[in-house]
Amino acid sequence: MCGIVGYIGNKKATPILIQGLTRLEYRGYDSAGIAVIEKDKIEVKKDKGRVSNLYNLDGIDDLKGTCGIAHTRWATHGKPSKENSHPHMDNDNLFAVVHNGIIENYNELRNELTEKGYHFLSQTDTEVIPNLINYYYKQDKENDTLKVLRAVRNACTELKGSFALEIICIKEPENMIVVRKDSPLVIGKGNGENYIASDIPAILSYTKDFYFLNDYEFAYLSKNNVKFYDTELNEIKKNTKSIEWDSKGAEKGGFEHFMLKEIYEQPRAIRETIGTRLNSSKVSFEELGFTKEYLETINKIYIVACGTAMHAGIVSKNIFEKLCKIPVEVDIASEFRYRDPLIDEKTLTIFISQSGETADTIAALKLAKEKKAKTIAISNVIGSSITREADYSIYTHAGPEIAVASTKAYTSQVTILTLIAIYCAEILEKADLAKIETLKKDLLSLPAKVDEILKDTSAIKKFAKRVYKEKDMFFLGRGVDYAVSLEGSLKLKEISYIHSEGYASGELKHGPIALIDTGVTVVATITDEALVEKSISNIQEVITRGAKVLVITNQNLENKGFETVINIPKISTEISPILSIIPLQLLAYYISKEKGLDVDKPRNLAKSVTVE
Ligand code: M6R
């Protein structure tokens, strides 16, 4: 999806803008552009294609300006083309604007502006914005210091939909204005310079101090200062927050792909996510501060998220129900938000989002708040939108995740959810203490066990070579192994474009087994001791029908006649998905690589889905 970068300071803006855009390439895009304030005009350079193409555009090396905005576009309104690329300007070339999000009423606004004499060069929804600002600017008879800001504010009050905007104006060459609504944007504070980005990794090598904007807050930047205003244009105070991430986290560090690097970062990500929460005799979440009285009023837990984060929720349903004896529903955020869910103040709702910017998950959280449920946000990004909406925020410490296919965020999410379940169980005093102690011990053993799996990946590579030309695959499992099968299947389809389905093994014979034929590949996960025999029978059924089978297990399945078995370390069943997903992540990775695909930036996908 679209990315935004901005710079205002003493240095030449162009290299900083292009470097920032390069760091945002992982988000997926089809065009790129920059606008820089030069002596007496705003210079725009843009085109469809890669960010690196910008270096070849005529005159780009001549840009000397120290204030500029930049954008990578992922086409929504209008095909990828030079005209549709951002930045866009108004008819008088006074303002340049980059925009992430969607303006839902752009047609009406375009018609109104056309009636007023404005014309449009692109098919985008964005182009109405600079012209609307132009309109308000010209209507305003005042000539005070807030004139440009007022025009931006007036234009924004007319916009419906979502937007993160950067605006520069030739009348104020030493300033820049940014504003957001339902689309991410952060401001990085430097020394005599300020940076803007839609994602922290874009500017992490310049600063670790960030301002976070709420919806409809306007930031008015100069190189030495950032002033914040509400919609009435009253000044508001904001402090920076420090981000611990190392800028190296957003680099490949010798790995061929970000995804592989992130798979190998999982031991550290899990260790840091556990952090000090397990050091005391009881698991601690001071930020939650739950009491027994409060938890006893809870009659339902909802876990809501999208994609991989939702799969982490499915894994954790089991442990919450087992330890806390509270029924748990796991829901897809885009469904939850539109189906009037039965929740009230007795419901505890947990929203999981690596990026913290997923539009559906944020909307689902807002709905839960409206219905008076307590809301917990679990995110990997400090200050992300979801954490600013929720009653409580809890962070995973996976570090920046760049590859579109989520890996270390997933294992960190399951880790933190397990810790929350234990935390609640210890307060409720309903769970078997020995079980809790085993789980705690097992959680601490996770990093070493993940390392053990990562030490030898030869069997997975070999299997990937064998099956990479396949058209269909099934991922099977029972209980938590079913949950992990869903995630294994998602990983494969995302980056290998092979059609795959995650299925509960026992459900196979109720329909999908009709698809099993000679050569179909089945990946089965078996880690639940209580279900081993049943799982084996299901696998035999597919082998009989000609399937090629890969089994991931921590059970002794020697002599069961399976051709390829990958053994993983033993651990409590409830958290075994944190281990069993690793070979599945690697399988997807090696298949994608074998097919010569763009592992980190699969087609049609974006790292954070900030629109519905
Ligand atoms: O940032 P989020 O965790 O909210 O993202 C949710 C999904 O879009 C994300 O997990 C997606 O499914 C990944 N590409 C999976 O690898």
Side-chain angles (χ1 to χ4, degrees), residues 306-309 352-356 358 404-406 413 490-491 494 609:
C306 301
T308 287
I352 316 166
S353 174
Q354 185 284 129
S355 61
T358 300
V404 164
S406 181
Q413 284 158 354
L490 178 65
K491 281 298 81 90
E494 276 188 297
V609 184

Side-chain angles (χ1 to χ4, degrees), residues 36-274:
V36 175
I37 303 192
E38 292 294 291
K39 260 204 188 98
D40 49 5
K41 66 186 281 225
I42 297 174
E43 283 283 356
V44 174
K45 304 283 175 200
K46 59 183 187 177
D47 209 345
K48 68 174 183 184
R50 314 300 294 175
V51 170
S52 55
N53 294 350
L54 289 174
Y55 288 114
N56 304 325
L57 296 182
D58 262 0
I60 197 127
D61 292 334
D62 303 330
L63 300 180
K64 299 209 169 33
T66 59
C67 171
I69 57 179
H71 191 259
T72 45
R73 173 174 187 254
W74 188 79
T76 56
H77 299 65
K79 63 177 195 276
S81 68
K82 180 172 176 175
E83 295 66 42
N84 290 333
S85 311
H86 299 212
H88 288 283
M89 296 196 75
D90 60 303
N91 287 176
D92 298 320
N93 294 333
L94 297 178
F95 301 93
V97 171
V98 299
H99 164 224
N100 280 4
I102 289 178
I103 304 304
E104 289 163 2
N105 59 337
Y106 84 101
N107 249 329
E108 294 97 293
L109 293 171
R110 199 170 161 123
N111 291 340
E112 281 165 29
L113 286 163
T114 307
E115 272 170 30
K116 291 185 171 104
Y118 288 86
H119 62 271
F120 294 89
L121 305 173
S122 76
Q123 289 94 51
T124 63
D125 53 339
T126 302
E127 204 185 349
V128 296
I129 303 171
N131 285 307
L132 204 54
I133 298 173
N134 169 301
Y135 169 75
Y136 280 111
Y137 183 79
K138 291 212 280 212
Q139 292 291 306
D140 196 335
K141 299 297 168 231
E142 303 289 323
N143 249 327
D144 57 348
T145 50
L146 292 183
K147 181 166 172 152
V148 175
L149 183 61
R150 216 163 28 241
V152 171
R153 188 276 314 267
N154 289 344
C156 286
T157 53
E158 292 220 30
L159 304 178
K160 295 207 175 103
S162 57
F163 50 85
L165 300 173
E166 273 182 331
I167 300 128
I168 50 176
C169 173
I170 194 61
K171 301 278 181 194
E172 289 196 5
E174 313 245 307
N175 297 105
M176 179 187 296
I177 295 171
V178 303
V179 55
R180 54 157 283 177
K181 191 220 154 214
D182 294 338
S183 194
L185 200 73
V186 295
I187 299 165
K189 185 178 179 310
N191 195 1
E193 55 191 0
N194 288 300
Y195 300 84
I196 315 291
S198 49
D199 288 59
I200 291 168
I203 51 176
L204 204 53
S205 57
Y206 304 112
T207 179
K208 297 229 174 342
D209 297 323
F210 289 86
Y211 291 108
F212 296 96
L213 285 178
N214 291 321
D215 282 356
Y216 288 114
E217 284 178 349
F218 297 82
Y220 188 71
L221 296 102
S222 62
K223 63 182 180 186
N224 289 316
N225 206 356
V226 190
K227 287 185 174 176
F228 298 94
Y229 295 90
D230 64 15
T231 42
E232 303 303 315
L233 299 191
N234 297 314
E235 204 175 328
I236 43 181
K237 286 271 161 264
K238 270 188 190 289
N239 293 320
T240 53
K241 274 196 185 151
S242 213
I243 300 285
E244 295 157 16
W245 287 355
D246 183 346
S247 62
K248 292 216 169 40
E251 290 162 17
K252 282 191 197 143
F255 283 86
E256 193 175 346
H257 296 102
F258 278 111
M259 183 179 176
L260 191 63
K261 175 179 174 244
E262 287 160 7
I263 290 174
Y264 275 84
E265 280 174 344
Q266 291 180 106
R268 188 189 51 75
I270 294 166
R271 192 177 298 114
E272 288 184 11
T273 295
I274 295 173

Side-chain angles (χ1 to χ4, degrees), residues 308-321:
T308 287
M310 196 267 298
H311 291 159
I314 297 182
V315 170
S316 315
K317 170 184 166 75
N318 175 50
I319 194 159
F320 271 102
E321 291 191 336

Side-chain angles (χ1 to χ4, degrees), residues 285-341:
F285 277 95
E286 272 166 28
E287 57 276 66
L288 293 178
F290 287 166
T291 60
K292 189 169 184 188
E293 292 67 44
Y294 164 67
L295 284 175
E296 281 175 346
T297 66
I298 296 301
N299 57 21
K300 186 156 49 162
I301 298 175
Y302 251 108
I303 304 181
V304 183
C306 301
T308 287
M310 196 267 298
H311 291 159
I314 297 182
V315 170
S316 315
K317 170 184 166 75
N318 175 50
I319 194 159
F320 271 102
E321 291 191 336
K322 216 175 245 175
L323 299 186
C324 304
K325 320 281 183 232
I326 301 173
V328 177
E329 278 202 47
V330 182
D331 213 344
I332 298 167
S334 55
E335 291 294 314
F336 178 91
R337 65 182 286 194
Y338 290 118
R339 67 178 181 76
D340 199 11

Side-chain angles (χ1 to χ4, degrees), residues 589-608:
Y589 172 78
Y590 286 118
I591 289 179
S592 175
K593 200 178 145 207
E594 204 61 48
K595 291 181 83 169
L597 299 172
D598 191 344
V599 178
D600 288 335
K601 295 189 286 278
R603 70 182 178 206
N604 304 338
L605 294 177
K607 183 62 185 164
S608 50

